[in-house]
Amino acid sequence: MTLNALFAARLDRWDHYKDVLPKAFKAAGVEVHLALDIAPEEVDYIIYAPNSELQDFTPFTRLKAVLNLWAGVEKITGNTTLKAPLTRMVDFGLQQGMVEWVTGHTLRHHLGMDAHIINPTHAWQPATPPLSRDRRVTVLGIGELGMACAEALSGLGFDVAGWSRTPKTHDKITCFSGTSGLSDALAHGQICILLLPSTPETENLLNAETLALMPKGSFIINPGRGPLIDDDALLAALDTGQIAHATLDVFRVEPLPVAHPFWAHPQVTVTPHIAAETRAETCAEVVAENIRRNEAGEPLLHLVDRAAGY
Ligand code: NDP
Ligand code: OXD
């Protein structure tokens, strides 16, 4: 029997997916008709991006699952019209993209590259950066993406700590967890990377009080989500030098409004939510495998815990 999969992401993404997904379905041995327009009562799966216009799932009466193309699910976990299981994207492309972006920005701050790249007076400034083993890095959120980044940075020699909701152990990463572990995690890192999901528990995690727990002159790198940081508290901490620089990829409002003080602040780098992009070539296999599994009665991969919010 042919299954119907509705593609509900931004229209400009269709060209990237329209050939790649059918190839992956074939390789997985599932017969799926993929389209942009299918009568709701005939849809078995929705391949979804949270910025799609589709927000009311009520008419999809035979829906078996929503397969989210993004890792972040904060825009959909609270949608009460969605009764079917929800999965999120975990794949090689997102992971590798994030590792490369995070490593690049970490090395920029670790090596003090700006002093040489932006040097209008041509000053000769031979300051030797510390070796990576003498630089402490903290990754807040050591899930699929955070742990991949923590391991890559540890592989480069950095002294890495991570923080998660549930306790973890790792032979190379110092692991902290829960509310009681947060202050130790924050005190560890001179470079702090945020790879937490946006949930009610993580909102404003970095605020005036927690920013003060970080070593003086720390760097913040946020490819997680904008609401993790209290913007005003960060600006105040940048102005006192408590935080030396913030590299921000995600914001409460995106695109970041032109009048937002982050744009003009000399110690803030803004990137336009490009840390890691879902790529059709790497995610199609995961989407197809999930349909295969569900049809075979096997558990779906990367199921979202909607109560936890991620
Ligand atoms: P995961 O769900 O795999 O990992 C989330 C991590 O955060 C886990 O370690 C989890 O703990 C931890 N966490 C969640 N809530 C809390 C809490 N209250 N206290 C402490 N730790 C907590 O997600 P991913 O790694 O796949 O993705 C992380 C985020 O990255 C996404 O939610 C998204 O917002 C962002 N992202 C940004 C992109 C970009 O381009 N900027 C691209 C892709 C993702 P535990 O392990 O115990 O569950
Ligand atoms: C995601 C993202 O969540 O792109 O996948 O931010």
Side-chain angles (χ1 to χ4, degrees):
M1 190 197 72
T2 303
L3 300 160
N4 287 325
L6 178 70
F7 186 80
R10 261 189 7 217
L11 260 189
D12 63 344
R13 306 305 296 157
W14 175 242
D15 274 352
H16 297 261
Y17 285 86
K18 69 179 184 349
D19 300 322
V20 176
L21 275 171
K23 251 189 232 158
F25 294 145
K26 198 165 173 213
V30 283
E31 245 180 75
V32 182
H33 164 64
L34 175 75
L36 284 170
D37 195 12
I38 304 173
E41 64 281 6
E42 290 174 14
V43 170
D44 298 291
Y45 293 94
I46 299 179
I47 298 164
Y48 189 72
N51 59 358
S52 143
E53 279 170 15
L54 170 52
Q55 298 295 330
D56 181 7
F57 294 90
T58 319
F60 296 88
T61 46
R62 81 174 199 208
L63 186 62
K64 297 178 181 178
V66 170
L67 309 172
N68 194 42
L69 292 172
W70 296 10
V73 287
E74 72 280 1
K75 287 196 168 82
I76 185 177
T77 45
N79 188 326
T80 52
T81 68
L82 175 60
K83 311 288 183 207
L86 169 68
T87 65
R88 63 187 204 91
M89 187 46 61
V90 174
D91 83 328
F92 171 77
L94 267 179
Q95 213 171 62
Q96 185 61 22
M98 189 60 84
V99 165
E100 292 179 13
W101 188 91
V102 163
T103 304
H105 287 280
T106 301
L107 287 174
R108 169 193 172 190
H109 296 308
H110 166 63
L111 296 173
M113 286 181 179
D114 289 12
H116 307 292
I117 295 169
I118 309 157
N119 184 8
T121 61
H122 300 173
W124 192 253
Q125 317 172 84
T128 309
L131 290 175
S132 57
R133 67 181 181 190
D134 298 319
R135 177 77 72 185
R136 297 189 313 277
V137 176
T138 289
V139 184
L140 300 179
I142 39 172
E144 299 289 345
L145 299 178
M147 188 55 100
C149 293
E151 287 177 344
L153 294 171
S154 169
L156 285 174
F158 289 101
D159 176 356
V160 183
W163 183 67
S164 54
R165 188 168 63 101
T166 56
K168 294 191 196 307
T169 53
H170 192 286
D171 57 349
K172 301 260 170 55
I173 319 279
T174 308
C175 295
F176 299 104
S177 62
T179 317
S180 60
L182 180 61
S183 49
D184 285 338
L186 289 171
H188 175 92
Q190 299 153 312
I191 299 177
C192 181
I193 297 151
L194 279 77
L195 272 165
L196 294 156
S198 179
T199 69
E201 285 71 39
T202 61
E203 178 151 21
N204 290 328
L205 186 88
L206 288 193
N207 53 45
E209 200 182 314
T210 50
L211 286 165
L213 299 175
M214 297 170 66
K216 176 106 182 147
S218 289
F219 299 92
I220 289 173
I221 299 178
N222 183 17
R225 281 295 185 259
L228 301 174
I229 302 180
D230 175 336
D231 291 2
D232 290 338
L234 174 58
L235 287 163
L238 285 161
D239 290 343
T240 62
Q242 169 61 14
I243 301 301
H245 194 105
T247 295
L248 310 173
D249 184 56
V250 283
F251 305 91
R252 286 167 189 273
V253 178
E254 293 181 8
L256 183 67
V258 283
H260 195 289
F262 283 158
W263 279 117
H265 200 291
Q267 301 311 120
V268 175
T269 298
V270 170
T271 65
H273 200 142
I274 42 85
E277 173 89 3
T278 302
R279 291 153 214 258
E281 297 69 30
T282 56
C283 80
E285 205 179 300
V286 179
V287 170
E289 171 60 7
N290 251 343
I291 294 181
R292 187 205 66 72
R293 291 172 78 99
N294 206 44
E295 293 303 311
E298 296 171 27
L300 285 162
L301 298 170
H302 319 309
L303 207 53
V304 173
D305 175 348
R306 291 182 64 183
Y310 68 102

